[in-house]
Amino acid sequence: QVQLVESGGGLVQAGGSLRLSCAASGRSFSSYPMGWFRQTPGKEREFVAAISWSGSSTYYADSVKGRFTISRDGAKNMVYLQMNSLKPEDTAVYYCAPCDLYGSRWYPWPNFTSWGRGTQVTVSS
């Protein structure tokens, strides 16, 4: 059974840092791009960052570029998101998922159903 477990969220002041982790089990995602997405109540899930299967290429939403860094450890089936200079608008539940590039935008796999519970990030002003 495929399972993704996100962790590392919490409450932090603006300007602070957090490191999110995503642990995958049940299958290996090491051959696929992986991404981080976030969602706030009443809004659609939005793309944050993605990383190629090899880890050699990374992609970011404009809103987090220069502040967030995505990385992965294929051997451990882990994906990470280092978040620095956090802003109140970064407050959301963060999820990881396998993803693909469609045109110029990254989306989770359309038939992916094994979403984790996410990890809450709250940034106070």
Side-chain angles (χ1 to χ4, degrees), residues 34-102:
M34 291 290 291
W36 284 95
F37 299 83
R38 65 188 182 187
Q39 188 170 25
T40 55
K43 293 188 177 182
E44 290 189 356
R45 199 167 292 173
E46 66 172 356
F47 167 74
V48 176
I51 187 166
S52 63
W53 69 271
S54 66
S56 61
S57 298
T58 56
Y59 310 84
Y60 300 94
D62 289 342
S63 59
V64 307
K65 203 171 293 183
R67 300 188 297 120
F68 290 11
T69 302
I70 188 171
S71 60
R72 69 189 302 167
D73 185 331
K76 296 181 178 179
N77 223 11
M78 297 284 295
V79 183
Y80 307 97
L81 186 68
Q82 177 66 43
M83 306 188 297
N84 299 328
S85 302
L86 282 161
K87 304 176 180 180
E89 50 264 43
D90 295 319
T91 295
V93 179
Y94 285 70
Y95 303 86
C96 65
C99 56
D100 282 318
L101 182 64
Y102 296 90

Side-chain angles (χ1 to χ4, degrees), residues 6-11 17-21 36 81 83 119-121:
E6 301 90 353
S7 62
L11 173 63
S17 298
L18 286 172
R19 187 185 190 225
L20 306 185
S21 298
W36 284 95
L81 186 68
M83 306 188 297
T119 186
Q120 175 71 50
V121 172

